[in-house]
């Protein structure tokens, strides 16, 4: 969903509640339910809300398909292109962004789906696994042995 900045100015607050059916690089069988609001405070535009999605992933241990439920809140701070240029030029080279990091509203538009996608990727575990544990641990047990893999045995015989 895209919100134009002039819509927020004219209406003081925009409330949204929709389901995003597809999102780049994410397998979401039921879509992502996104609810929230967008409003202007001073010269910044704030988008906040929550999302809920079931993702289709693969367990990194047993390689079975899992579908974890992911739900969290999100918040983004935006500036129109002119204000964003001023903001960037006001930062010193070594200065960090601080508590409020502003994004540019490219073409005076805010893409809520991109903001939510970033939050989902950050909220995902680096290694998604079955919870509480894998039901078929045969693949995992195969590699738990302390023996040396026979394919690597010849490397151990090399003398320096």
């Amino acid at each position: 969903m895209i919100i134009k900045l002039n819509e927020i100015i004219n209406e003081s607050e925009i409330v949204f509640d929709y389901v995003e059916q597809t999102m780049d690089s994410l397998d979401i069988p039921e879509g992502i339910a996104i609810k929230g609001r967008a409003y202007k405070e001073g010269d910044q535009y704030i988008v906040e809300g929550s999302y809920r999605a079931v993702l289709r992933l693969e367990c990194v241990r047993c390689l079975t398909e899992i579908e974890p439920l992911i739900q969290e809140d999100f918040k983004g701070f935006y500036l129109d292109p002119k204000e964003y240029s001023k903001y960037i030029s006001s930062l010193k080279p070594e200065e960090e962004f601080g508590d409020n990091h502003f994004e540019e509203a490219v073409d005076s538009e805010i893409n809520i789906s991109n903001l939510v996608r970033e939050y989902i990727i950050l909220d995902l575990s680096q290694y998604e696994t079955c919870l509480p544990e894998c039901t078929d641990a045969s693949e995992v047990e195969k590699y738990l042995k302390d023996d040396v893999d026979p394919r690597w045995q010849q490397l151990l015989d090399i003398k320096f």
Side-chain angles (χ1 to χ4, degrees), residues 57-69:
L57 304 169
E58 205 173 69
C59 173
V60 297
R61 297 174 80 205
C62 66
L63 304 178
T64 59
E65 190 175 278
I66 56 174
E67 293 186 346
L69 171 68

Side-chain angles (χ1 to χ4, degrees), residues 28-154:
I28 44 176
E30 300 168 15
I32 300 172
I34 302 171
K35 296 179 183 181
R37 65 190 186 120
Y39 58 95
K40 185 175 182 183
E41 196 172 273
D43 60 347
Q44 64 183 332
Y45 297 85
I46 302 169
V47 177
E48 61 185 9
S50 61
Y51 64 86
R52 184 178 196 281
V54 173
L55 297 176
R56 188 174 292 139
L57 304 169
E58 205 173 69
C59 173
V60 297
R61 297 174 80 205
C62 66
L63 304 178
T64 59
E65 190 175 278
I66 56 174
E67 293 186 346
L69 171 68
I70 297 177
Q71 54 188 9
E72 280 295 328
D73 296 330
F74 64 89
K75 191 170 194 174
F77 299 92
Y78 293 85
L79 295 172
D80 65 42
K82 191 171 95 176
E83 291 296 322
Y84 185 76
S85 295
K86 289 180 191 176
Y87 165 69
I88 291 297
S89 62
S90 72
L91 294 174
K92 297 177 181 74
E94 306 84 33
E95 188 174 3
E96 293 186 16
F97 287 112
D99 292 338
N100 287 344
H101 171 67
F102 295 101
E103 294 288 334
E104 179 180 10
V106 179
D107 296 329
S108 297
E109 296 176 339
I110 298 172
N111 189 331
I112 296 170
S113 301
N114 285 348
L115 175 64
V116 170
R117 182 180 178 280
E118 290 174 6
Y119 268 83
I120 289 174
I121 290 171
L122 291 173
D123 286 338
L124 280 175
S125 169
Q126 192 171 6
Y127 303 106
E128 287 291 336
T129 59
C130 299
L131 292 177
E133 61 184 45
C134 298
T135 54
D136 179 17
S138 61
E139 279 297 311
V140 177
E141 291 170 5
K142 220 176 10 178
Y143 298 103
L144 284 178
K145 299 176 189 170
D146 288 336
D147 311 5
V148 175
D149 187 329
R151 297 171 293 179
W152 296 99
Q153 185 61 45
Q154 289 182 347

Side-chain angles (χ1 to χ4, degrees), residues 7-22:
E7 293 174 358
I8 298 173
I9 294 170
N10 296 338
E11 294 186 25
S12 76
E13 179 177 287
I14 292 179
V15 177
F16 51 88
D17 184 355
Y18 69 102
V19 175
E20 184 78 32
Q21 293 300 329
T22 60

